[in-house]
Amino acid sequence: MPCILRTFGLWLLLILTVSLVAANTSLSKPVDTKAVLSCPRITQKAVLVTIRWEIILRDKPSCTRAYRRDTNETRAINCSDKTISWDSRPDQNPALQINPVAITHDGYYRCEVVTTHGHFYHGYHLTVLVPPDVTLFQLENGTIVCRAAAGKPAAQISWTPGGDCHTVEEPLGNDTVTVQSSCRWEDHRVSNVSCSVSHLTGNRSLSTERNSGVQSVVYVRTVYIILPILIILVIVGSICLWKIRVCRKCKLKKREANSVVEEDEMQPYASYTEKNNPLYDTVSQVKRSDVLQNEADGLCLHTSYITGI
């Protein structure tokens, strides 16, 4: 008899333990989706008395939503979140809905059903999942970086083919984490690489060609650097050519002016006065007349002398 009682007690303890474990469920839901939390089912013979939802969120006071069947009355205590409500009529379906699910809805939700056959409850540990923002890019030194930003929980990153990789995690607010993996390949035959990101919300894979991104960046930067330099050189060269032409014209004018002055200086003063002084012209004429007269007189004397002979 004691052995039978002991065996019955062990079976009863095992059933209670299983029931207690089954009464709490871990539930994961992606952000911006709809979540429906159900209460425990009751037998048809049991009569519903009350339903009570207790909601415990992080850094917020406990919220309670209750329904009383005999008065057909619903109440809400400390419940300010409008996205959490009854899924339908509590007397028909006492489930709770969250629409849409936000990252702040992480917490514990417990439904308690009171019937004429006893108390029943079911709890949910709700975890909100946030898909990471996945990017793949290449640095100038040839390193390729795969980044899974602001995911909840942290994502897992792998590479194909494997290389010399280094992965770091950066915790953010609300349990989100940014994971970044940087890889290099010494084998120059590796031309295409893939980054695989594993997450509870789904997996993603991105691929890229090695060095193609770096070459384009270098080309763009070269164009942006060389083009302004060429424009500046063209402008400076044009200004220099213009100045050279102006200087040549100025020197040519000065040379012409100097040549005219030198010619004027080299002429005799008499020539200058002859050309420009009227008084000098008159004196010259008088002198020339006297000379002619003397020559005429001499000619006459010479004639007379010959005649006298």
Side-chain angles (χ1 to χ4, degrees), residues 147-172:
R147 182 180 175 90
K152 182 176 179 291
Q156 302 294 323
I157 298 178
S158 60
W159 293 88
T160 303
D164 182 13
C165 303
H166 178 65
T167 303
V168 295
E169 294 186 1
E170 180 186 358
L172 306 176

Side-chain angles (χ1 to χ4, degrees), residues 133-271:
D133 183 15
V134 181
T135 55
L136 182 66
F137 54 93
Q138 190 169 176
L139 302 179
E140 293 184 8
N141 60 2
T143 301
I144 298 180
V145 179
C146 184
R147 182 180 175 90
K152 182 176 179 291
Q156 302 294 323
I157 298 178
S158 60
W159 293 88
T160 303
D164 182 13
C165 303
H166 178 65
T167 303
V168 295
E169 294 186 1
E170 180 186 358
L172 306 176
N174 294 325
D175 295 333
T176 57
V177 181
T178 293
V179 182
Q180 180 170 299
S181 181
S182 304
C183 277
R184 292 182 61 88
W185 289 265
E186 298 298 334
D187 189 355
H188 297 287
R189 293 175 297 177
V190 176
S191 59
N192 186 279
V193 295
S194 298
C195 161
S196 298
V197 178
S198 302
H199 195 260
L200 294 178
T201 58
N203 301 328
R204 291 190 60 186
S205 180
L206 299 178
S207 300
T208 185
E209 294 287 338
R210 289 183 64 197
N211 299 326
S212 59
V214 174
Q215 292 175 357
S216 62
V217 171
V218 172
Y219 175 77
V220 171
R221 290 194 174 183
T222 303
V223 170
Y224 276 100
I225 291 174
I226 293 179
L227 186 60
I229 295 175
L230 291 177
I231 294 175
I232 293 173
L233 291 176
V234 170
I235 294 174
V236 172
S238 301
I239 294 174
C240 291
L241 290 176
W242 178 77
K243 286 186 176 182
I244 291 172
R245 290 179 180 177
V246 172
C247 290
R248 286 181 177 177
K249 289 182 179 180
C250 292
K251 289 181 179 180
L252 182 61
K253 290 182 179 179
K254 287 182 179 180
R255 287 179 181 176
E256 293 177 353
N258 291 334
S259 62
V260 171
V261 171
E262 289 176 357
E263 290 178 359
D264 291 341
E265 289 177 352
M266 291 177 65
Q267 292 181 358
Y269 179 76
S271 174

Side-chain angles (χ1 to χ4, degrees), residues 17-66:
T17 303
V18 173
S19 299
L20 182 60
V21 172
N24 289 279
T25 303
S26 294
L27 180 64
S28 299
K29 282 290 181 179
V31 69
D32 295 329
T33 61
K34 179 181 179 181
V36 178
L37 310 179
S38 301
C39 289
R41 294 182 178 180
I42 60 175
T43 61
Q44 294 181 352
K45 295 181 179 180
V47 178
L48 179 64
V49 179
T50 61
I51 298 171
R52 181 174 176 268
W53 274 100
E54 184 181 8
I55 304 170
I56 303 174
L57 302 178
R58 182 184 304 176
D59 302 328
K60 291 184 179 180
S62 175
C63 162
T64 301
R65 291 184 178 273

